[in-house]
Amino acid sequence: ATGKPATHIATSSSCDTCHTTRNWTDTHFDHSRVTGTCASCHNGTTATGKNARHINSSNSCDACHTTHAWNPVSRVDHSAVIGSCSSCHNGAIAAGKGATHIVTSAQCDTCHTTTAWSPASFDHSGVTGACVTCHNGTTATGKNATHIASTNSCEACHTTNAWSPVSRVDHSAVTGTCSSCHNGTTATGKSATHIVTSAQCDSCHTTTAWTPAHFDHSAVTGSCSSCHNGTAATGKNATHIASTNSCAACHTTIAWSPVSRVDHSAVIGTCSSCHNGTTATGKNATHINSTNNCDACHTTTSWTNAVVDHTAVVGTCSSCHNGTIATGKNATHIATTNNCAACHTTRVWNPVSRVDHVEVIGICSSCHNGTTATGKNTTHINSTNNCDACHTTTSWTNAVVDHTAVVGTCSSCHNGTIATGKSATHIITTAQCDTCHTTLAWSPAHFDHSAVSGSCSTCHNGTNATGKPATHIVTTADCGTCHSTTAWTPASFDHSAVTGSCSTCHNGTTATGKNAGHFITTQDCNVCHTTTAWTPTIAFVHTTSNYPGDHGVPLTCSSCHTTNSETVPWPSPAYAPYCAACHAKDYVPSAHGGRSVATNKDCTSCHHHRVTDTRWGD
C-alpha cells in the first residue's frame, strides 16, 4: 500500500502517531519523533515559517522556541541572531540604552556580551567627548590627591589601553616648574654625573626634546672629548665616521652639524666608508667601474688627476678603452668583441701573448688566409673556407670533418688512403657512398630493398645483416612471410603456419598473454578464442557429463562460476555434481515421501520436464 512519499517529514514514528484511519489528512502532530531541523518543515511552505517581523536570525528555530510553547519564546540564543544588537535592542523590540548611558556611537557588543550584559567591558574608541566628562570622580575615577598639578586633559598623558602607568607626559598640560616633578621622587631628577648647575631645567632642556640639551660652549675649557665621550655628553654615534677624538678637526661649537670641513688626517679607515654617496660624495654615474678603494688612484690632497691602478678596476676593459675615456681598438684591429683582457694584459698591452678565439667575430678565413694567420696548406681536403666546420680553436689538429663543408664526391676522400674506404666485407656495389650512407650517421646505412633480388635470408643471416634473434619464434618461413621492408616491426603474423598450443607464445613474454582479470582456467586459448577473431570469445560448450543440465532460463558463466574460475563453488558441495549441489536448500522431504535429499540428489531421475514446464511436478 502507499507509503511515505519523498516529501514526507523525516520521522521515525509509526503512521498512527499522527494519522488516523478515519481521516488520514487531519493529523495530530507529535514533534518528539521528528528527525532533522525545525526549518526543514517550518519554511513557510510545509509548515508556518518565520513571519515578516521576525528577528533576523539563522533557521535554528529551537535556539529560542520549544515544541511545547512556541510563543512567547522562553529564551533568546544570541548566537543564532544575525545582524547588529541595535536592530533588536532599540527600546521597542528589546531594551535599548538607558537615559544615563554614556554617549557613544559604538554597537552594543563593543562593550557588552550576550552571556554577561553587565558589567560591560568598556571600549573607549566609540566614546565621544573629553575624558573628564566621565572621569570626574563621580561617573568614573578622576585625578587622585597626589596627581601631578595639571590641566584636566587626561588623554594628554593617559591612554584608554593602559591608564596606568602613563606611557608619556605632555608637558604642555603640566602646571608649575620642572623641578616640582623632576626632583628624583615624582619624576627623574638630575643624575650624579649631571653638569653642576643651579639653573632651572628649561634653561638647557625643552619638554619636546629633553636630550640633547641646548648648551653654551663659550665657557667650556679643555678638549671636546673631555665631555663628548658618550657619558658626560653625547659622543660619537655608531654611524660616525671612523676618526680620532679630535672633534674640533671637523666640528665647531657654533654649528656642530653639518661639518664645514673634514681634516682627512684625523679620519681612520678606508675612503669608501665615507665616500659612499650618502655620508659623503661617492663615485658619480660616469666613474670607471672599480672597487671602492679610492686611494688606489686618488689622494686627499689632489682628488683629480688620478693615476689608474688597473687591479682596482671592475668590469670589462672596453668600459674605459672605448676611444673616448681611454685608447680603444685601432682601425686595423682584428674583428672581435670588446673583451680586451681575452688577448691583452695591463702589463704588456702590445704585442698580444695569445688569441682567445671565442672573442673573435667573423669567419676563420678572415684571419687564417695565409697572410694575417696560417691558412690551408696544399694537401688540404678540397673544402670551403669555413675552418670551424672541422677545426676548433682549442685543438686545431684532430679535426672532426663536417661533410657539408667538403667539396667533391665521397670517394675522392674515402678511397682507403685519405680516409676509410669500403671494407673487404662490404656489399659489392658501384654506387656512390651517399646512396646508402649519410654524413650524420654512417652506420647503419639506409638500404633500398627494392633493388634486391632473392630471399631475405640470403643477407639477413646474422652475418651480412641482422638475422633472427635467439628468442624468435621457431619457423622455417622466409622473413617476407610476416615482415616487410618498409616496416619490419610490428610483423603481420600468419597463425596458419604455427604448430603447437597457443600458450607456447601467448605467455605474456613472447606474445600477449592472459590479463590480470582473465577467467582462471587451465584450458588452452583456442578453446574460447580464434586467430581470426580474438574478441569476443566464442561460446563455450561443456562436454563433460557433470554440466548442470537443461534449465528453464539460459545460465550465464557467472551463474555457477561466481569466483571467475573454472572451479565451481557449489552451495552444497557434498552433492556435486548433481542437482542437489545447488538446490539442496529448495528440497522439501515431505513432498518426496519423507526421503532425504541425499537419496534424491539427482532431480532429473524423476523430473523429466524443463523447470519452466507446468508438468515439472508430475
Side-chain angles (χ1 to χ4, degrees), residues 381-384 403-413 432 434:
I381 294 173
N382 189 11
S383 65
T384 65
H403 288 80
T404 60
V406 177
V407 181
T409 63
C410 302
S411 58
S412 62
C413 287
Q432 278 294 317
D434 55 2

Side-chain angles (χ1 to χ4, degrees), residues 73 140 150 182 197 231 238 283 368 384 403 408 415 506 540 585 598:
V73 296
S150 66
H182 289 282
T197 177
T231 304
K283 293 187 290 187
H368 288 282
T384 65
H403 288 80
N415 52 19
H506 288 281
F540 181 77
K585 65 180 181 298

Side-chain angles (χ1 to χ4, degrees), residues 253-605:
T253 57
I254 299 174
W256 184 263
S257 180
V259 297
S260 57
R261 66 188 181 86
V262 175
D263 182 356
H264 287 83
S265 62
V267 177
I268 302 170
T270 62
C271 305
S272 58
S273 61
C274 291
H275 290 281
N276 51 21
T278 303
T279 308
T281 304
K283 293 187 290 187
N284 58 41
T286 60
H287 193 282
I288 295 172
N289 190 6
S290 64
T291 65
N292 287 326
N293 188 13
C294 307
D295 55 1
C297 301
H298 301 277
T299 65
T300 56
T301 55
S302 178
W303 187 258
T304 56
N305 299 320
V307 177
V308 177
D309 180 357
H310 286 82
T311 59
V313 176
V314 181
T316 62
C317 305
S318 58
S319 60
C320 289
H321 289 280
N322 52 19
T324 303
I325 298 174
T327 305
K329 291 189 290 186
N330 57 41
T332 60
H333 195 282
I334 296 173
T336 63
T337 66
N338 287 326
N339 186 11
C340 308
C343 301
H344 300 276
T345 65
T346 56
R347 295 182 179 180
V348 183
W349 185 261
N350 192 36
V352 297
S353 57
R354 64 189 181 90
V355 175
D356 184 352
H357 286 80
V358 298
E359 305 295 334
V360 177
I361 301 171
I363 61 174
C364 304
S365 58
S366 61
C367 287
H368 288 282
N369 51 20
T371 304
T372 306
T374 305
K376 291 192 290 186
N377 57 41
T378 54
T379 59
H380 195 280
I381 294 173
N382 189 11
S383 65
T384 65
N385 285 326
N386 187 12
C387 307
D388 56 0
C390 301
H391 301 277
T392 65
T393 57
T394 55
S395 178
W396 186 258
T397 57
N398 299 322
V400 178
V401 177
D402 181 355
H403 288 80
T404 60
V406 177
V407 181
T409 63
C410 302
S411 58
S412 62
C413 287
H414 289 281
N415 52 19
T417 304
I418 299 174
T420 304
K422 290 189 289 187
S423 65
T425 58
H426 194 282
I427 296 173
I428 299 172
T429 177
T430 58
Q432 278 294 317
C433 306
D434 55 2
T435 304
C436 297
H437 301 277
T438 66
T439 56
L440 300 176
W442 185 260
S443 177
H446 173 71
F447 200 75
D448 184 0
H449 287 81
S450 62
V452 177
S453 57
S455 64
C456 305
S457 59
T458 56
C459 284
H460 289 282
N461 52 19
T463 303
N464 293 337
T466 305
K468 290 188 290 187
T471 58
H472 194 282
I473 295 172
V474 179
T475 177
T476 58
D478 196 53
C479 308
T481 305
C482 299
H483 301 278
S484 69
T485 57
T486 55
W488 186 259
T489 58
S492 174
F493 201 76
D494 183 2
H495 287 82
S496 62
V498 177
T499 58
S501 64
C502 305
S503 58
T504 56
C505 287
H506 288 281
N507 51 20
T509 303
T510 307
T512 305
K514 290 189 289 188
N515 57 42
H518 193 282
F519 185 78
I520 301 170
T521 179
T522 57
Q523 298 291 331
D524 199 45
C525 308
N526 59 358
V527 174
C528 298
H529 301 277
T530 66
T531 58
T532 55
W534 185 260
T535 57
T537 60
I538 63 174
F540 181 77
V541 178
H542 289 80
T543 59
T544 57
S545 59
N546 61 358
Y547 180 68
D550 187 13
H551 284 70
V553 294
L555 293 177
T556 63
C557 300
S558 60
S559 298
C560 298
H561 296 281
T562 57
T563 59
N564 196 39
S565 169
E566 64 183 356
T567 302
V568 176
W570 301 98
S572 301
Y575 305 120
Y578 298 100
C579 305
C582 288
H583 300 286
K585 65 180 181 298
D586 304 321
Y587 184 78
V588 181
S590 60
H592 294 77
R595 292 184 294 275
S596 68
V597 65
T599 305
N600 289 345
K601 60 185 178 182
D602 184 7
C603 303
T604 60
S605 62

